[in-house]
């Protein structure tokens, strides 16, 4: 265990205006520039200087070019992670471990994506080679894989069509309260049901948004954090586990891997599902929320789709979820913006979507690399 003062804390967060970027595509827009804009905001948020940073972890953007753009010449830690959504959780986990081990004192995590402006596709001809085994059957995207997983889930647990509507509706309701969200209008259940299928049984409103944007986090020691501008948000526990094979889909909906990670983060933090004031769940597609809630013990197996009903996941509900609007409402920043929202909720900076008396938050990503953190206010 690290000493109390060497515990890792998030001290700065920054992001771009996703809604503005969505409305104004620009083929000249640069992912590195968006990441730099987000880091500038995170540095200002923390009340520190760029020269305080001695570690740099990047995702989607390469570390060499990013360090050059930022003018960070001699970091003690520097590497990049590829652009998959599961990497945001890994970046936070690894940076926290490096800070706690003394390998660096202040690590910047930066992500930039210009996917909308350059007309990026997350499937079809540009599909990742990992799904090559599925391509001949039309499974050329993670969305198609999730659709097949969810169809199996429906069969096993008797889930009716439209059961994902509360998740999509909640995301859009929260996004309507978020001034930088892409989707600023709420939706009804009928609007959800009327939206076209992309990969049946998943509809358009079950899918994440391809967008431009940048996100940055700054992680340092708790001792250093206490001297900075904002309330420190400590990483009380973090864990991960892979569920890896030739396909994105998991036969048990990532349940075993989620259970293992849940056991470790709850055991280390001394907190459990009932203690989480808000939950930020990686939601590339809405079924992932159901799988996450069940895997981490919020709902029983086969009951997650019912657990989300009745306003339970609303900002004013029992377990507020994806309070900034999630990947179907705020923007698809591949998990990165979920971390920013968790920090802001604990600091009390959520504005109209602020959860009352929020002191704990959990990030969950159920994917081929399952990861989770428990965050607490200092």
């Amino acid at each position: 265990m690290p000493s109390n003062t060497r515990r890792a804390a998030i001290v700065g967060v920054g992001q771009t205006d996703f809604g503005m970027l969505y409305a104004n595509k620009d083929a000249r827009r640069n992912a590195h520039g968006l990441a730099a804009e987000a880091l500038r905001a995170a540095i200002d948020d923390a009340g520190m200087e760029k020269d305080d940073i001695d570690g740099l972890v990047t995702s989607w953007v390469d570390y060499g070019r990013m360090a050059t753009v930022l003018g960070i010449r001699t970091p003690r830690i520097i590497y990049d992670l590829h652009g998959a959504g599961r990497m945001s959780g890994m970046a936070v986990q690894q940076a926290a471990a490096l800070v706690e081990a003394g390998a660096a004192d202040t690590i910047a995590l930066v992500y930039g994506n210009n996917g909308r402006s350059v007309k990026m596709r997350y499937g079809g001809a540009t599909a990742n080679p990992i799904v090559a085994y599925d391509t001949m059957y039309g499974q050329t995207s993670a969305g198609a894989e999730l659709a097949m997983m969810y169809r199996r889930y429906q069969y096993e647990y008797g889930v009716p069509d439209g059961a994902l509507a509360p998740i999509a509706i909640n995301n859009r309701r929260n996004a309507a309260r978020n001034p930088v969200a892409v989707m600023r209008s709420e939706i009804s259940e009928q609007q959800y049901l009327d939206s076209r299928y992309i990969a049946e049984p998943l509809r358009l409103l079950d899918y994440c948004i391809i967008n431009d944007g940048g996100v940055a986090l700054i992680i340092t020691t708790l001792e250093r954090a206490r001297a900075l501008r904002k309330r420190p948000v400590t990483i009380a526990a973090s864990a991960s586990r892979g569920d890896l094979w030739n396909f994105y889909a998991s036969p048990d909906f990532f349940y075993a891997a989620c259970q293992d990670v849940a056991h470790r983060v709850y055991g280390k933090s001394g907190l459990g599902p009932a203690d989480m004031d808000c939950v930020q769940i990686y939601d590339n597609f809405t079924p992932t929320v159901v799988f996450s809630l069940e895997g981490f013990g919020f709902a029983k197996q086969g009951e997650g789709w019912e657990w989300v009903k009745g306003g339970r996941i609303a900002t004013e509900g029992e377990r507020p979820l994806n309070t900034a609007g999630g990947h179907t409402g705020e923007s698809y920043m591949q998990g990165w913006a979920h971390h920013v929202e968790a920090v802001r909720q604990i600091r009390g900076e959520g504005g109209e979507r602020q959860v009352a008396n929020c002191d704990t938050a959990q990030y969950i990503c159920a994917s081929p690399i399952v990861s989770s953190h428990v965050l607490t206010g200092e």
Side-chain angles (χ1 to χ4, degrees):
M1 289 288 289
S3 69
N4 188 52
T5 55
R6 259 231 88 86
R7 286 171 56 204
I10 302 173
V11 295
V13 295
Q15 62 188 36
T16 55
D17 186 329
F18 307 128
M20 181 275 291
L21 293 171
Y22 188 86
N24 299 282
K25 290 191 296 183
D26 185 347
R28 300 166 297 176
R29 190 169 288 147
N30 183 278
H32 293 81
L34 294 168
E37 179 183 341
L39 181 58
R40 178 72 268 172
I43 290 170
D44 291 344
D45 181 63
M48 56 180 15
E49 300 296 328
K50 184 184 69 175
D51 290 345
D52 295 324
I53 295 169
D54 61 355
L56 179 64
V57 178
T58 69
S59 181
W60 197 280
V61 291
D62 67 282
Y63 71 83
R65 178 60 181 160
M66 197 72 248
T68 301
V69 169
L70 297 172
I72 298 177
R73 291 291 305 277
T74 57
R76 294 163 64 189
I77 293 293
I78 183 162
Y79 61 92
D80 55 36
L81 298 165
H82 69 85
R86 67 208 77 156
M87 289 298 109
S88 64
M90 300 309 300
V92 171
Q93 181 181 102
Q94 292 169 9
L98 289 165
V99 165
E100 291 178 353
D105 291 325
T106 304
I107 300 179
L109 314 179
V110 296
Y111 168 90
N113 188 338
N114 61 342
R116 175 169 166 79
S117 283
V118 299
K119 300 182 180 180
M120 183 168 292
R121 298 291 181 264
Y122 289 85
T126 61
N128 191 301
I130 197 171
V131 300
Y133 290 88
D134 294 352
T135 301
M136 67 184 76
Y137 302 106
Q139 298 291 100
T140 62
S141 71
E145 298 274 3
L146 260 293
M148 291 292 285
M149 282 176 65
Y150 183 61
R151 180 66 90 195
R152 180 67 187 183
Y153 179 88
Q154 286 183 300
Y155 173 79
E156 289 192 7
Y157 298 112
V159 182
D161 182 42
L164 298 171
I167 298 168
I169 291 168
N170 182 70
N171 272 5
R172 289 290 289 269
R173 181 171 183 263
N174 290 336
R177 302 175 175 184
N178 180 353
V180 302
V182 171
M183 302 297 178
R184 297 300 307 283
S185 59
E186 297 188 34
I187 58 171
S188 66
E189 182 176 17
Q190 193 59 52
Q191 285 175 303
Y192 170 84
L193 293 171
D194 289 343
S195 65
R196 64 185 174 89
Y197 288 115
I198 302 298
E200 193 174 354
L202 301 189
R203 294 172 162 86
L204 176 65
L205 296 177
D206 292 309
Y207 268 62
C208 59
I209 306 162
I210 296 177
N211 195 37
D212 301 344
V215 183
L217 310 168
I218 298 174
I219 295 177
T220 190
T221 64
L222 180 57
E223 181 179 36
R224 170 77 166 135
R226 287 170 174 159
L228 295 175
R229 178 177 294 164
K230 300 288 184 71
R231 181 188 187 189
V233 174
T234 60
I235 303 169
S238 181
S240 61
R241 176 176 166 174
D243 183 351
L244 305 169
W245 62 329
N246 287 325
F247 313 97
Y248 187 98
S250 168
D252 71 347
F253 318 112
F254 302 114
Y255 185 79
C258 285
Q259 285 276 283
D260 176 74
V261 173
H263 175 76
R264 287 184 283 142
V265 294
Y266 295 148
K268 182 178 179 181
S269 67
L271 301 169
D275 300 306
M276 299 305 150
D277 295 322
C278 72
V279 189
Q280 309 298 332
I281 295 180
Y282 177 78
D283 53 338
N284 48 354
F285 311 96
T286 56
T288 307
V289 174
V290 175
F291 304 153
S292 300
L293 291 169
E294 294 180 10
F296 280 81
F298 291 87
K300 294 180 181 178
Q301 275 188 285
E303 297 182 8
W305 64 277
E306 293 188 286
W307 191 89
V308 298
K309 294 178 180 178
R312 175 178 267 143
I313 60 175
T315 302
E316 306 83 6
E318 173 189 326
R319 202 69 59 222
L321 188 148
N322 289 357
T323 48
H327 288 148
T328 68
E330 182 184 37
S331 182
Y332 184 47
M333 291 290 101
Q334 299 186 289
W336 287 87
H338 283 342
H339 290 90
V340 170
E341 178 67 7
V343 170
R344 287 180 173 159
Q345 285 290 337
I346 290 173
R347 289 176 175 175
E349 298 173 347
E352 291 183 33
R353 63 187 188 278
Q354 178 63 45
V355 174
N357 304 312
C358 185
D359 287 312
T360 60
Q362 184 173 6
Y363 172 76
I364 297 171
C365 176
S367 73
I369 300 177
V370 175
S371 64
S372 183
H373 328 296
V374 172
L375 307 178
T376 59
E378 168 65 16

